[in-house]
Amino acid sequence: MLACNRISMNRSLSHLVEYRHGHSNGLQRFPIYVSQDCNDENVLTLLRSYGDQINILNQPDHSESSFQNINQNLKGYYRISRNYKWSLGQMFDERKYNLTIIVEDDLDVAPDFLDYFNSLAPLLIEDKSLFCISAWNDNGIPMLIDKSRIDLLYRSDFFPGLGWMLTRQLWDEELREKWPAAYWDEFMRTRAVRRGRACIRPEVSRSHTFGQKGVSNGQFFDSYLRFNHLNDKSFVFNSSLLRITLKPDIYDPQFLTEVYNKSVLLDNLSQLPHLAQTLPQDTTYRLEYKTQADFVAAARLLGAMEDFKEGVARTAYMGIVSIFFRGRRIYLAPGGSRGWNNNEYPDWK
């Protein structure tokens, strides 16, 4: 966990400790490290109150010489990225863990948060077409998800963050030497990092941010993030099955068949408000887009996030965004092809 001066981090940390108690040998299987930046005495006192339940790390470099000419309002991004790099170095270079789950100090976590990552860890290690596992669905507000499908997982070309896991191999071979001075999350969404790989993300989020105040000044918080639905039930995933069904040779053809062969193609946006009056409840629908304006118009009508990072919409896989709207599954999908390969995304901003 990365911490600074947010005393409300106790909300996140206490849940991690609580949910870990449900695992045999949990203290050893899921050791919790908190990397504190900022030298905040109140936060340090809080951390010490946990005793041997957690491990406290103190990020040693608090100088600003490397970004002294940066606008004061932007310096927080540099401090965060520095703490990330130092903390990841502690986990992978010093302690030699093969996997690390990163949790910010403003994240609530679901009761099955640790189970979720534990079940997907073997897949991340084996499947070289993946580079992360995330607990977050960017379009995870109640009106856009099927809250009953806590079992449903997706591959995603968009890096979600907000509670995520990576491997030591990725750190060793790719990230350590390239880690940016600031805006680490934007860096993780670049083509240079993605390299044609995907992440796994859930239909129902296993994390939820309560960080309205922070370096981003609450960007997207009031319009999207505060409403994101956090799973409140435990679910036991079949790790062996996931190692088969989420690999691209199985997942991709099934996903494309579901989207392009089994869904009903909608002619235009005006049909969206009237879906409940047409075909049976379990019918899925497809709305195709060919331009950025097409996608933005559809996302705006549905209430989904409409921005792109290096051509990739949030939650998209092969350009396809899955939404659950008024009880119906709707796919926003590229028209004129059966999805895009990872290197075929347009240069939409």
Side-chain angles (χ1 to χ4, degrees), residues 197-210:
R197 296 171 297 194
C199 295
I200 300 296
R201 60 95 177 171
E203 169 82 358
V204 183
S205 293
R206 265 56 180 193
S207 62
H208 175 83
T209 179
F210 54 85

Side-chain angles (χ1 to χ4, degrees), residues 52-72:
D52 61 3
Q53 292 295 305
I54 67 170
N55 304 279
I56 304 172
L57 304 175
N58 290 294
Q59 197 283 115
D61 182 7
H62 300 281
S63 68
E64 296 191 0
S65 58
S66 61
F67 47 87
Q68 60 183 350
N69 296 323
I70 300 298
N71 185 296
Q72 186 65 34

Side-chain angles (χ1 to χ4, degrees), residues 16 19-20 116 177 203 255:
L16 282 172
Y19 298 148
R20 185 177 63 180
Y116 172 81
E177 302 306 320
E203 169 82 358
F255 185 58

Side-chain angles (χ1 to χ4, degrees), residues 288-302:
E288 295 187 352
Y289 65 93
K290 293 185 178 179
T291 68
Q292 184 173 5
D294 289 343
F295 180 90
V296 169
R300 191 166 295 171
L301 182 60
L302 291 165

